Amino acid sequence: MELRMTYFRYGVQSCAVGHAMNHIDYITRRGFHAQRADLIYTEHGNMPAWAPTPGDFWRAADKHERINGVALRQITVSLPNMMSTSEIVSLAREITWMLAGGKPFQMAVHMPNAALGDEPNPHVHIAISDRVPDGIERSPEQFFARYNAMAPERGGRRKDSGGLTQTELRSHVLWERNAVAAITNTALEALGYAERVDPRSLREQGVSRAPERHLGQAMIRAMTPEQKKEIRGRRLTY
């Protein structure tokens, strides 16, 4: 079987305090965002006892995390569009639980049609709190308080991103990206698909072309059918 490379995207961004609940509403298509009919699955896990619903947790993060701090870290991962819906969800869950570990998380799988064509564009949004579990019961206020290394029971949960240098953070993100690609390729192979993903940069792959600029929805809507067809054709040769 001849292997074929397929599109892979792994993106990380931080969500500031005060915006976590809005972001969760967006990825889970609640409220105003319910008009987007592309949500196929959502799940949450590792929530503390005081948060019977994930909304209770993210609202508390917005309220009690330090001002100008980070309420959650979002990871967006593309999923192979040749997979069935059940296979996509299974892969998204495996990736999510690996990345979250024991930390509180909420995830949502979207499957809209790609803006440049009719093929589906499945991907998963994973919202993770960087507060790591330590077995200590805390109130919501204390949960998000500053960590006390000398007396952990007196402070909040430790953030595993705290105190890391930019180099260390970058190394961790690269490790996660490679781990996600490995999980994806293992699933593709086990299911008998010829497609594989490559987490390396274009330079690392020996590809000389420049990275494609992100095309926003407004730009795509302004394109002619011929321009869209040209871009789709280029992508088939990547």
Side-chain angles (χ1 to χ4, degrees):
M1 179 173 60
E2 182 179 355
L3 300 182
R4 300 185 295 268
M5 303 313 296
T6 190
Y7 175 72
F8 178 70
R9 180 197 172 204
Y10 180 92
V12 183
Q13 66 184 76
S14 297
C15 182
V17 171
H19 299 279
M21 197 61 235
N22 289 337
H23 181 73
I24 294 299
D25 284 344
Y26 168 75
I27 69 171
T28 58
R29 301 307 195 225
R30 293 171 57 89
F32 172 78
H33 306 290
Q35 60 185 305
R36 297 174 179 247
D38 58 356
L39 176 69
I40 62 171
Y41 185 80
T42 185
E43 183 175 336
H44 64 274
N46 302 327
M47 294 294 169
W50 51 261
T53 72
D56 293 323
F57 180 84
W58 302 117
R59 280 187 288 270
D62 276 337
K63 182 177 180 180
H64 299 298
E65 280 282 10
R66 67 176 177 81
I67 298 176
N68 299 325
V70 173
L72 62 83
R73 183 168 58 104
Q74 182 196 267
I75 299 172
T76 304
V77 181
S78 60
L79 302 167
N81 65 5
M82 71 290 306
M83 285 183 167
S84 69
T85 299
S86 61
E87 291 167 348
I88 286 170
V89 169
S90 178
L91 175 58
R93 295 188 71 246
E94 184 177 1
I95 290 171
T96 297
W97 282 95
M98 184 277 293
L99 292 173
K103 296 179 292 188
F105 76 86
Q106 189 161 11
M107 61 88 95
V109 181
H110 298 168
M111 192 154 60
N113 281 336
L116 284 170
D118 295 329
E119 290 188 348
N121 175 30
H123 55 275
V124 58
H125 296 281
I126 310 168
I128 302 175
S129 168
D130 281 340
R131 301 280 180 171
V132 297
D134 57 11
I136 299 173
E137 293 293 332
R138 297 176 174 88
S139 67
E141 294 83 357
Q142 185 185 3
F143 186 98
F144 295 103
R146 184 182 297 274
Y147 176 66
N148 187 329
M150 299 299 295
E153 71 282 359
R154 297 181 183 177
R157 272 198 189 182
R158 181 179 64 85
K159 278 190 168 184
D160 62 0
S161 57
L164 297 181
T165 66
Q166 287 299 314
T167 299
E168 290 170 332
L169 288 171
R170 174 175 171 76
S171 294
H172 181 68
V173 169
L174 289 175
W175 178 89
E176 288 184 332
R177 179 183 175 90
N178 290 333
V180 168
I183 289 174
T184 301
N185 284 333
T186 297
L188 286 167
E189 181 179 10
L191 293 167
Y193 291 105
E195 288 77 10
R196 298 292 186 270
V197 300
D198 192 330
R200 296 176 299 168
S201 67
L202 294 176
R203 179 182 300 176
E204 291 170 331
Q205 294 179 49
V207 179
S208 59
R209 71 172 176 83
E212 182 180 300
R213 184 178 61 162
H214 175 69
L215 303 174
Q217 293 292 326
M219 183 179 295
I220 292 173
R221 285 195 294 268
M223 289 180 178
T224 65
E226 290 73 20
Q227 289 172 323
K228 294 179 181 179
K229 182 178 180 180
E230 179 186 355
I231 293 174
R232 290 197 301 270
R234 279 206 310 264
R235 288 180 174 178
L236 290 176
T237 66
Y238 290 172

